[in-house]
Amino acid sequence: MWIRTAALAALVSSLAVAAPAAAPKLPGFFAAAKASIAPAKVKAGGTATLTITLTMAPGFHIYDPKPGDEFAIASEVMPVKAAGVTYGKAVWPTPTIHEKARIHEGVITVTVPITLAKTVKPGTLKLGAAVKAQGCNATGCLPPDTITLPAPLTVMK
């Protein structure tokens, strides 16, 4: 009996290790969100681009980083800090103007340039970004929320 229990425990343990990382819990105003880096493999001293794709839930929008409305909460992309990694300025798509506010609806892509120092050691860097936003629809706004989106980068020799 104890052999079956031990075998079951070992199996469960191995499944937990092999399971893929859980997707981030999304606030109600996002239908989907992901981050990726291209190229995914870079030599020390090289460059890449962090791409964040946000899909709004039907009927929702988020505000631009420069919302143009004093009551709107600006969206923000905050790249994960790592030694030897420098990020450029986030590039957002052109917003739509809605009642004097700059908003984003549907699917949007935000890009952030990445530069690696020549001293970065080979291996996998756990990069990505936190995205802070407030989703609103025709009847009101949800509280602002922040999600973290992982995006690994492999540093080659």
Side-chain angles (χ1 to χ4, degrees):
M1 178 76 165
W2 69 270
I3 293 173
R4 278 191 260 169
T5 305
L8 181 59
L11 176 64
V12 169
S13 224
S14 69
L15 290 175
V17 171
K25 184 175 185 293
L26 298 176
F29 50 88
F30 285 140
K34 69 178 182 173
S36 62
I37 296 178
K41 295 179 180 181
V42 179
K43 289 185 178 184
T47 62
T49 302
L50 169 64
T51 300
I52 297 151
T53 305
L54 304 170
T55 304
M56 303 321 134
F60 278 92
H61 66 267
I62 60 172
Y63 291 101
D64 190 68
K66 295 180 181 178
D69 179 330
E70 65 183 295
F71 300 109
I73 295 176
S75 296
E76 186 177 0
V77 167
M78 301 158 286
V80 172
K81 295 182 182 191
V85 178
T86 303
Y87 294 97
K89 184 178 178 181
V91 178
W92 286 72
T94 302
T96 300
I97 305 299
H98 177 73
E99 297 179 10
K100 298 182 185 178
R102 294 179 186 94
I103 64 168
H104 296 282
E105 303 172 286
V107 179
I108 67 164
T109 301
V110 179
T111 59
V112 182
I114 300 171
T115 302
L116 300 179
K118 291 181 180 181
T119 56
V120 175
K121 297 190 185 319
T124 301
L125 297 176
K126 295 180 181 179
L127 303 181
V131 178
K132 177 183 174 189
Q134 179 180 33
C136 300
N137 63 17
T139 60
C141 295
L142 297 175
D145 207 342
T146 302
I147 57 171
T148 301
L149 303 170
L153 175 64
T154 302
V155 180
M156 302 181 310
K157 290 184 179 185

